[in-house]
Amino acid sequence: MCGIVGAYGRVDEETLSSMLEWIEHRGPDDEGRYIDRDAGVMLGARRLAIVDLEGGSQPKWNEDETVGVVFNGEIYNHDELRASLRRDGHRFESQSDTEVLVHLWEEYGDRMVDHLEGMFAFSIWDATSQTIFLARDRMGIKPLYFGRTDVGYVWGSELPALLIGGVNRSIDPAAVFNHFSLEYAPGAQTLLRDVRKVKPGHTVEIGPDGVRDREYWSFLDVETGSAATSFADAADRLSTLLERSVEQRLMADVPVGAFLSGGLDSSAIVGIASNLRDEPLDTYSVAFSDERFDESAEARLVADHFGTNHHEVHVDLSSMDVFDDMIRHLGEPTGHLQMLPLFLLSQRAREDVKVALAGEGADELFAGYSRYQQAPQYKRKVDFLPGFTHDVAGAVATVAPVGSKHLRYYSWLKDNTELVLHNTCGFMPFRPEPDDFLTTGETTETSGLRSSVSQVTSRVEDPTPEQHISAFETSQTLPNFHLFKADHTSMAQSLELRVPFLSADIVEFAHSLPIEYKATDQDVKRVLKRAVGDLLPREILEREKMGMRPPVEDWFRGDHDAIERWFDRGRLERTPYVDADRAAGLRDRHRRGEESVGRTLWLILTYVAWYHTFIDEKTAIV
């Protein structure tokens, strides 16, 4: 596990040093760099040593040093790949998974990614073809950004490293609109005009002929509902796949622990991992003083059940003391309310372990949120009405003195694209819309948001709305929201987080299941519950989903220096596309109890703090 950076078209050792210094937290154990002045190429890596502690330094090269790689992640099948490559005549100097990549490139070129099992983001320099090859894993577990500068391209594991590398700092208003709609920017989009993400399951080649983006994998190519298996057989198959995935992710030459919320997903991972190990697992959970948000008792129940060494981190308003440090490490604003608790949880876990397992992804794959029940129920209730009535409701909603939000919600039930657009993650139907406090002038059409949704829904043949919601959340919300959170909060503390639910075979299998195996009006995540039913305590299987989130509604009615400092009127006025009067008004009405908009205020707070930490020429730290 590492952080990587690089440049094509620019050689400046001081810049490379600064880029590497920025990502030191991603790899405090070692640093490696390569500069080719004639070719105008720089590569750099900071290493967090997990596998082959002595032989895993980077960059890694092929035999004649014409192909080099810097790599962030873990390749779980590297032993099998190494054995196969040796049979084909390749020579190795280490047991590291990194070295496998250069020989795969020699053997298969850009099709090398088809052979990889794991989480990864890497860049390969091929001196013969004068080409940079960037690749990101199938689900987007590890981040990778690239951007154009005045003299070429830069790339890296974190956006601030690209700022150091010279990308333009201009904000993209379309991305701002999307960020405040979905709580993240979808697809390749970032808040900066000239910076893009390498999308999950994609590669990007940069060379003399320009830039070429290619999709090499998508679970959307699997037909929904195509699994020809009984419910019981599907549960057995999932159980087998999960055990294999957890076993792979226990691979390490350093201590491994697990995050434990007390919910179904993390409890299942802890249970499987505990059964695969001889020694007790170290587990870590968050405790809130407000019992409405606290799951620590359930986490302790699971820990006691499996005999883990359990640790708790207590989070309250005073935890906002680390807010500025968290923003600095994230490098981007976020609407994810779990960011702060997970930042602190990772900090505590890193005292004992270098690797932790987590339950990310199960809700998206197996329809675990209440909207997988509610949205289809609402849609079925109005399916008998003529289609034009949805358009009428949307038009009336713009002028109706009362009930406008309910009319607007009805208009969104028109079809699956509309339903997905307005019912996933942060874009909730009954919270302030971006136009209430932004001045971007963008819409879902002009920002590309509607197009992002339709690009996914058009690839899902199953007519059920639940499958469309699941497809969008798995392809967009998961990598850009949940996995961003998981990676950046853990790597801020030099902790590698692994996510067993997101092996490609589990993702494809989940997408192939009929929706009734996943959710009905009475239950969600049915097949997962059946798969781990004999493993977990009954209380965990039957409890309602809670979700680890701090009580931000209360926090924004209280006082803390971090909140007051970033909601300062002057800062609001100097933040692009924020209407200072409306944003301040939202905060005032929330404090008086006239509205409950804590989640929106968190979005504004992190955006303002990010802008003035990284972008504002008067205050930027990079």
Side-chain angles (χ1 to χ4, degrees):
M1 181 63 64
C2 304
I4 65 172
V5 294
Y8 183 89
R10 176 181 184 180
V11 172
D12 180 348
E13 192 158 359
E14 183 177 349
T15 296
L16 181 60
S17 294
S18 297
M19 293 171 75
L20 285 167
E21 183 180 357
W22 182 263
I23 61 169
E24 182 178 0
H25 52 276
R26 286 185 168 267
D29 297 331
D30 192 18
E31 177 183 295
R33 61 180 68 194
Y34 168 77
I35 293 179
D36 184 333
R37 296 188 181 277
D38 293 333
V41 168
M42 303 191 297
L43 301 176
R46 293 289 320 192
R47 185 182 182 220
L48 181 66
I50 303 294
V51 175
D52 191 8
L53 305 186
E54 300 299 324
S57 60
Q58 299 185 33
K60 286 293 183 193
W61 295 91
N62 65 339
E63 294 90 340
D64 62 4
E65 297 191 354
T66 58
V67 177
V69 64
V70 288
F71 164 60
N72 172 28
E74 302 290 350
I75 306 301
Y76 299 120
N77 63 332
H78 70 96
D79 283 336
E80 302 96 297
L81 292 172
R82 185 183 298 104
S84 174
L85 289 163
R86 276 182 171 146
R87 288 192 295 270
D88 291 332
H90 295 273
R91 299 193 307 273
F92 288 81
E93 296 181 350
S94 73
Q95 296 300 309
S96 73
D97 50 355
T98 307
E99 192 176 2
V100 168
L101 299 175
V102 292
H103 299 294
L104 282 173
W105 174 261
E106 290 181 296
E107 195 72 22
Y108 301 107
D110 67 353
R111 293 291 173 180
M112 63 177 289
V113 288
D114 299 339
H115 301 266
L116 299 176
E117 290 185 33
M119 55 181 185
F120 53 84
F122 60 83
S123 61
I124 286 178
W125 165 240
D126 187 323
T128 303
S129 63
Q130 298 284 288
T131 299
I132 288 289
F133 179 73
L134 306 177
R136 191 176 179 198
D137 64 68
R138 291 165 176 80
M139 294 305 297
I141 301 168
K142 303 314 296 178
L144 187 56
Y145 304 85
F146 72 103
R148 187 173 184 88
T149 70
D150 291 340
V151 294
Y153 294 88
V154 292
W155 60 90
S157 299
E158 294 186 5
L159 190 146
L162 276 67
L163 293 173
I164 295 170
V167 297
N168 189 287
R169 296 169 185 250
S170 297
I171 303 294
D172 181 356
V176 173
F177 177 86
N178 291 340
H179 174 77
F180 279 95
S181 299
L182 286 172
E183 302 187 352
Y184 60 85
Q189 197 176 53
T190 76
L191 290 175
L192 299 182
R193 291 182 188 270
D194 291 342
V195 177
R196 289 291 178 261
K197 293 168 283 192
V198 177
K199 293 186 287 189
H202 279 244
T203 63
V204 172
E205 286 192 39
I206 303 171
D209 297 328
V211 177
R212 182 172 72 94
D213 180 294
R214 181 177 74 87
E215 181 182 82
Y216 68 88
W217 179 90
S218 175
F219 70 90
L220 294 171
D221 291 334
V222 177
E223 183 181 353
T224 52
S226 62
T229 183
S230 69
F231 180 74
D233 288 343
D236 289 342
R237 174 63 175 157
L238 177 57
S239 178
T240 300
L241 291 173
L242 266 177
E243 182 171 337
R244 176 179 180 269
S245 182
V246 172
E247 185 173 25
Q248 283 183 322
R249 284 151 185 80
L250 289 172
M251 173 198 76
D253 296 329
V254 296
V256 179
F259 288 172
L260 177 60
S261 70
L264 172 67
D265 311 334
S266 64
S267 298
I269 299 302
V270 166
I272 296 170
S274 295
N275 287 344
L276 291 170
R277 287 167 52 104
D278 295 328
E279 299 297 323
L281 192 69
D282 279 285
T283 54
Y284 303 87
S285 69
V286 169
F288 296 108
S289 57
D290 189 329
E291 64 181 16
R292 294 175 301 166
F293 301 89
D294 186 50
E295 296 182 278
S296 58
E298 289 80 4
R300 287 193 296 272
L301 171 67
V302 175
D304 290 343
H305 184 79
F306 293 110
T308 72
N309 299 319
H310 192 58
H311 316 272
E312 290 182 356
V313 173
H314 292 266
V315 175
D316 56 24
L317 180 57
S318 68
S319 301
M320 286 289 288
D321 291 346
V322 304
F323 179 80
D324 289 6
D325 189 38
M326 182 192 73
I327 289 294
R328 183 181 183 277
H329 278 93
L330 296 183
E332 294 180 79
T334 177
H336 212 306
L337 300 181
Q338 291 183 3
M339 279 293 188
L340 187 65
L342 284 176
F343 186 81
L344 295 168
L345 190 66
S346 297
Q347 187 178 67
R348 172 62 189 89
R350 186 60 179 85
E351 296 176 13
D352 308 316
V353 300
K354 252 186 171 179
V355 175
L357 308 183
E360 301 296 334
D363 285 314
E364 290 75 23
L365 296 178
F366 300 106
Y369 299 113
S370 59
R371 55 182 164 271
Y372 287 101
Q373 297 172 299
Q374 294 169 354
Q377 289 172 2
Y378 293 144
K379 195 170 189 302
R380 285 196 295 271
K381 289 179 179 178
V382 300
D383 271 349
F384 69 95
L385 295 172
F388 73 87
T389 61
H390 297 281
D391 298 325
V392 172
V396 173
T398 62
V399 296
V402 294
S404 62
K405 290 185 177 181
H406 292 84
L407 286 168
R408 189 164 61 248
Y409 186 76
Y410 170 67
S411 74
W412 295 342
L413 297 174
K414 178 180 180 179
D415 56 41
N416 282 327
T417 296
E418 288 293 321
L419 188 147
V420 169
L421 180 61
H422 299 286
N423 282 276
T424 54
C425 197
F427 203 175
M428 300 299 184
F430 302 121
R431 71 167 203 177
E433 292 196 30
D435 287 346
D436 291 347
F437 51 86
L438 293 183
T439 60
T440 63
E442 299 284 346
T443 67
T444 55
E445 285 80 14
T446 63
S447 71
L449 182 52
R450 187 179 301 278
S451 174
S452 293
V453 174
S454 64
Q455 285 173 18
V456 176
T457 57
S458 65
R459 295 177 68 174
V460 180
E461 295 182 1
D462 191 309
T464 59
E466 303 97 306
Q467 295 283 34
H468 288 79
I469 295 174
S470 175
F472 182 78
E473 293 195 327
T474 301
S475 63
Q476 295 292 331
T477 309
L478 191 54
N480 296 307
F481 189 64
H482 298 295
L483 294 177
F484 170 84
K485 165 209 69 180
D487 171 83
H488 281 66
T489 56
S490 58
M491 291 306 291
Q493 311 296 347
S494 306
L495 177 75
E496 175 176 306
L497 203 65
R498 299 177 177 179
V499 283
F501 279 110
L502 296 182
S503 68
D505 51 3
I506 291 178
V507 175
E508 290 177 344
F509 180 68
H511 192 62
S512 75
L513 295 175
I515 190 59
E516 61 268 20
Y517 284 16
K518 294 184 275 190
T520 64
D521 288 350
Q522 291 74 41
D523 200 9
V524 294
K525 289 196 279 198
R526 296 180 62 238
V527 69
L528 176 57
K529 291 177 180 178
R530 177 71 173 266
V532 297
D534 295 334
L535 180 68
L536 299 180
R538 179 176 53 82
E539 297 93 326
I540 301 302
L541 290 167
E542 295 179 356
R543 67 180 294 242
E544 291 187 7
K545 181 177 178 60
M546 187 179 220
M548 182 182 68
R549 60 187 179 90
V552 292
E553 305 291 338
D554 295 338
W555 287 9
F556 279 101
R557 292 192 174 105
D559 294 303
H560 191 280
D561 180 62
I563 297 176
E564 305 310 318
R565 182 168 62 257
W566 296 114
F567 260 92
D568 170 75
R569 182 57 180 247
R571 282 201 170 99
L572 288 173
E573 290 176 347
R574 296 196 308 273
T575 305
Y577 308 113
V578 171
D579 186 312
D581 288 335
R582 292 180 178 181
L586 274 178
R587 172 99 196 281
D588 291 342
R589 292 194 296 277
H590 181 86
R591 294 195 74 169
R592 293 193 298 266
E594 297 170 9
E595 290 192 67
S596 186
V597 290
R599 189 160 186 162
T600 298
L601 294 175
W602 177 262
L603 264 173
I604 297 172
L605 180 74
T606 59
Y607 174 66
V608 172
W610 168 77
Y611 177 79
H612 290 286
T613 300
F614 292 105
I615 308 301
D616 188 339
E617 61 182 17
K618 297 180 180 179
T619 59
I621 61 176
V622 297

